[in-house]
Structures are given as C-alpha cells and as structure tokens.
Amino acid sequence: MVALPEPPMPNIPSEPPIYILIAIVATMATVAEKSLSTQPYRVELIQLSQLSRFADYGGSLLFVPAGRWLTGSFNLTSHFTLFLHRDAVLLASQEESDYEVIEPLPSYGRGRDTDGGRFISLLFGSNLTDVVITGENGTIDGQGEPWWGKFKRGELKYTRPYLIEIMHSDGIQISNLTFLNSPSWHIHPVYSSNIVIQGLTILAPVTVPNTDGINPDSCTNTRIEDCHIVSGDDCIAVKSGWDQYGINYGMPTKQLLIRRLTCISPDSAVIALGSEMSGGIEDVRAEDIVAINSESGIRIKTAIGRGGYVKDVYVRGMTMQTMKYVFWMTGSYGSHPDEHYDPNALPVIQNINYQDMVAENVTMPAQLAGITGDQFTGICISNVTITLSKKPKKVLWNCTDVSGYTSGVTPEPCQLLPEKQPGTVVPCNFPESSIPIDEVKLQRCYSRRRLM
C-alpha cells in the first residue's frame, strides 16, 4: 500500500455537505491476465481505512471509472459507498498471494473446502455500519477458473475466496451490479442484519460446483429481490452454521424476504435451506420466483447431527420450467465438519408452506424424506399444478417420515400428505404482517448529515 497524504478537511457549515473522495480502485491492468506483482505501472489500492475519517461529514464514496481494473482483496469501511461505472470491470486477482488467509467462521469450525483457514474474500468487511455497493450495472469478475481447477485437483490448502463477504455488520446494501465467475460463493452476508440485495445479475458456469449465488448466513432482516442468477450450485442458499459449531454459536437466519428471482441451476436448487442450518432458519418468505432448467425448486437439506431447525417457511407464486424435482426435502445430507458432531442432535423441520405454483416438464414432483423418529411436520402444499416430462419417474411422490396436507394439487400427492378438503382449495396459512426490511428504501449512495 502507498500511504496517501492527509487530505484537507472541508470547512463545515451548519449543514455539512457530503464529502466525497473519488479514486480508482485497484491495479491498472491493460492485460487482465497479468498478476499484480508484474504490472509495469501500478496504481496502488487506496487505503480504505482512511475513508472512515469522513463518516462525520456525510460518508465517503469510492468511484470505479470505465476500464478493466485488476485487484487483490480489499477491506471495506463504514459509512461508505463503492460505485462502479457501467463500463467498469473489477477483475479479481488469480494469485493466492493476493488473498490473506483468515480464520474459519466460528459457526462452521473449519473451511468449507479444507480443514483450517480460508482465503479472505475479494471485497471483505467486518463490524461495519451503512455500506452501499452499487453502480450502473458495472461488473465484478472473480476470474475463478484457476481456483476451480485447483479445487478439483485437491491442490488448495485453504478454502477458496468469495467475491463479497460481510460479517458482523448492519445496514448493508448491494445493488445494480453484475457478478461473474466467483472462485466459490458470490455473495455471503454472515452474522449481519438489515441487508438489501437488489437488481443483481450473477453468472457462473453451470458445471462448476459451489458457485452459489447469494448465501444469507446467520442474518436477520434480509431482502433479496429482482435478481437473475445462473449457477453451478444453489442460486440462493440459506444457512446458519454447521453441526456442533452452529449449535454452539446459536445465531439463526430469520426474517428473510426473497422475491422476483429468476434462477437457472441444472444441478442444484433455486432456493435451498441448509444444509448448514444448525443455528436455525425461520420466517423465510419467497414469492414471484421463476425457475428454468433447475434440479429442484425448493430444497430443504439437513441431517442427523445438524440440530437446529427450519420452520415457518412460506413460498408462493412460483413458475418452473424443466425441473427434476419441484419439492425436495432430505434428512440424510450427511457431510459433517469432523467426527465430533452429536448424533443425538436432530433437526426440527416444521410449518413449511408452498402455494400457487405451476411447473412444466417435471421428472418427479416431490422427493420428501424426513428422518426416522424425527418427522418433518406441518407441510402444506396448496394450488399447485405440475405437468410431467415425457419420461417421468415411476414413483411421482416419494414421501417418508413427513406429515401435513395438500389441497388442489396435481398430480395426486402421496398418502402422507392427504387432501384436506376434497373439491375445495384450502390455502396455506401465510402471515399477513410484513417484516421490517420491507420498509427499507434502496440507496444509490450512503449519506447522512451530522447535527451540529
């Protein structure tokens, strides 16, 4: 880093203006493939920690102009806006040396790819307040191909970096950007609250695993809307910690709103709940979802040893085309962080509601498998029409260790989910009240005024 000179502080009137610091982010790269260490002309990344001094003067803004800019990982700061011009492309370095190795998340106990630590994300922040990451649909490209190859060949000592990870923070907004080719997950808010994610395009090869789109993890009051995601893994995966580590950390994901999502994920789910759900997942509301050529619409993944719960889930207004499954629940998603998980820690899955859905070209409507002695209960499926593919499975609804009811569903569901009132469509019980994040307005720039 090059130490920047102290900028002069503005004269502060009774109503101070927003003080805006404009800078180029990252290392200039006319050839994207060059590494940071070999650039003949280097523009050092501004020390974002210096921007925190402007919090009392309205906040700070870092503007990325048109061009292709190569960068390693950098830390965000509070009361801050990162804004990308429509023709700006941030290119993530492909060099491991440009990513600090940090500790595993305490609710996971280890990295997701390997034991031990993990590479810090491209954009990282912890203990932040009021951060806006936005633009005019500029691009952040993770250039993940070398990472995917190293992971497949077992050459990595640490877990791959994400594009964005924000921890222990409040008031985070990410909007109007395109994210490409993350080494692993694209967007990962964790241990945070009051999050708005809107208007994102997220694209990764459908053949590459673990390139999840958006993964809210032990977060409260989150809104995800108007996003288009193509992924080799779950488009949205809701999480809250892994086995004994998640149980001990004890921070659920709750008050999550997802709407107007379009997803393509041939080998995974449109919306997955779990499998790392040991801190609990509750009050998830999803509506107006479009799924195309995806493995499953809604998938609940858990296992013996997870503990925790998934409850009060409400999904409606979903349109699906070319699906392997519409509904998928499994209690045998058996990966564990280590051998110290508690086999007596059983998950609770209850009050799961699906309504007003249409699916075409479906191989199997439902694969619903709870845990023997630990039923998944309170399942409601109402007003759902499923049209089968030319070669459907012989068993259309495979149900074990689940209970609940259906109403107005075709083809006819399994006996464990009987018709509630034949001849009448009985809706599921959806909440009438809103959640607080629905009242939060999207910001294009963080700003505030200090009272004198």
Side-chain angles (χ1 to χ4, degrees):
M1 293 286 186
V2 172
L4 298 177
E6 292 281 333
M9 300 303 291
N11 294 322
I12 307 300
S14 59
E15 291 189 357
I18 300 172
Y19 188 81
I20 298 178
L21 183 64
I22 299 177
I24 293 175
V25 178
T27 297
M28 190 184 306
T30 55
V31 180
E33 289 73 18
K34 290 184 177 180
S35 70
L36 298 184
S37 60
T38 61
Q39 288 300 314
Y41 303 102
R42 184 166 181 174
V43 180
E44 293 285 352
L45 178 67
I46 189 169
Q47 294 185 27
L48 293 182
S49 60
Q50 295 188 21
L51 299 184
S52 62
R53 76 184 71 171
F54 302 111
D56 286 342
Y57 303 99
S60 53
L61 181 147
L62 197 58
F63 176 76
V64 184
R68 294 167 65 82
W69 309 101
L70 181 65
T71 179
S73 170
F74 60 94
N75 291 341
L76 306 174
T77 189
S78 292
H79 315 300
F80 169 72
T81 299
L82 175 64
F83 192 99
L84 274 68
H85 183 276
R86 67 173 61 88
D87 295 322
V89 181
L90 278 186
L91 295 166
S93 170
Q94 297 173 324
E95 301 292 329
E96 292 184 22
S97 59
D98 291 319
Y99 298 85
E100 178 187 354
V101 177
I102 58 176
E103 292 294 315
L105 292 169
S107 59
Y108 284 74
R110 53 159 285 171
R112 290 297 290 112
D113 295 343
T114 66
D115 292 333
R118 57 204 185 96
F119 290 109
I120 196 169
S121 64
L122 180 68
L123 277 63
F124 180 80
S126 185
N127 297 295
L128 304 182
T129 303
D130 301 324
V131 173
V132 176
I133 302 171
T134 189
E136 302 170 313
N137 203 34
T139 299
I140 299 178
D141 187 345
Q143 300 199 104
E145 187 171 0
W147 297 94
W148 305 333
K150 290 178 182 179
F151 172 70
K152 185 176 181 180
R153 294 188 298 270
E155 296 174 358
L156 291 172
K157 294 182 179 179
Y158 306 106
T159 292
R160 290 164 288 168
Y162 309 142
L163 286 191
I164 296 180
E165 182 175 75
I166 298 179
M167 304 170 55
H168 304 294
S169 297
D170 181 75
I172 307 301
Q173 297 198 1
I174 306 171
S175 67
N176 301 317
L177 293 168
T178 295
F179 293 86
L180 306 176
N181 301 322
S182 178
S184 185
W185 302 348
H186 285 78
I187 314 293
H188 184 223
V190 58
Y191 315 141
S192 296
S193 59
N194 300 311
I195 302 157
V196 177
I197 299 173
Q198 182 172 326
L200 302 187
T201 298
I202 300 175
L203 305 175
V206 296
T207 56
V208 178
N210 310 124
T211 51
D212 302 34
I214 305 168
N215 289 5
D217 193 342
S218 293
C219 289
T220 298
N221 215 29
T222 302
R223 187 175 86 222
I224 301 169
E225 59 187 0
D226 302 312
C227 292
H228 175 81
I229 303 174
V230 179
S231 175
D233 216 298
D234 302 320
C235 286
I236 294 178
V238 185
K239 299 178 180 292
S240 67
W242 201 4
D243 285 5
Q244 71 272 26
Y245 302 103
I247 294 170
N248 292 336
Y249 200 79
M251 181 177 286
T253 289
K254 59 184 179 179
Q255 295 180 321
L256 170 62
L257 175 60
I258 303 167
R259 62 187 172 203
R260 297 187 299 277
L261 165 72
T262 300
C263 168
I264 299 173
S265 180
D267 293 320
S268 269
V270 177
I271 299 174
L273 306 174
S275 74
E276 304 91 344
M277 40 61 69
S278 301
I281 296 172
E282 63 180 295
D283 196 3
V284 176
R285 310 180 189 191
E287 59 186 16
D288 300 330
I289 311 297
V290 175
I292 302 168
N293 188 25
S294 296
E295 184 176 46
S296 58
I298 308 296
R299 186 178 182 186
I300 296 176
K301 304 184 286 186
T302 187
I304 293 172
R306 287 290 191 272
Y309 54 84
V310 177
K311 64 182 182 179
D312 305 334
V313 175
Y314 310 94
V315 183
R316 62 184 172 188
M318 193 166 183
T319 301
M320 291 163 273
Q321 175 68 46
T322 308
M323 309 290 294
K324 184 175 181 180
Y325 306 105
V326 174
F327 309 114
W328 192 358
M329 300 181 189
T330 177
S332 59
Y333 203 87
S335 61
H336 300 284
D338 53 44
E339 69 276 11
H340 301 301
Y341 70 92
D342 180 2
N344 296 314
L346 300 179
V348 174
I349 312 298
Q350 64 182 27
N351 194 26
I352 311 298
N353 302 274
Y354 303 133
Q355 181 174 297
D356 303 336
M357 299 181 177
V358 175
E360 298 179 347
N361 195 25
V362 173
T363 303
M364 184 176 186
Q367 177 77 274
L368 307 176
I371 297 171
T372 301
D374 182 34
Q375 277 196 357
F376 297 176
T377 63
I379 299 169
C380 171
I381 304 176
S382 175
N383 191 32
V384 174
T385 300
I386 299 170
T387 303
L388 300 175
S389 64
K390 293 181 178 179
K391 295 182 179 180
K393 294 285 188 179
K394 292 182 179 179
V395 177
L396 299 182
W397 291 73
N398 189 9
C399 306
T400 57
D401 298 300
V402 298
S403 65
Y405 71 89
T406 56
S407 182
V409 177
T410 57
E412 183 179 354
C414 56
Q415 293 182 354
L416 294 180
L417 299 175
E419 182 85 4
K420 188 168 187 179
Q421 294 181 15
T424 302
V425 176
V426 179
C428 303
N429 292 319
F430 277 66
E432 297 182 0
S433 60
S434 62
I435 56 179
I437 195 64
D438 210 16
E439 305 302 320
V440 174
K441 294 183 179 179
L442 185 70
Q443 294 180 270
R444 296 284 284 166
C445 177
Y446 169 77
S447 65
R448 66 185 179 93
R449 293 190 180 276
R450 183 181 67 176
L451 298 177
M452 303 299 291

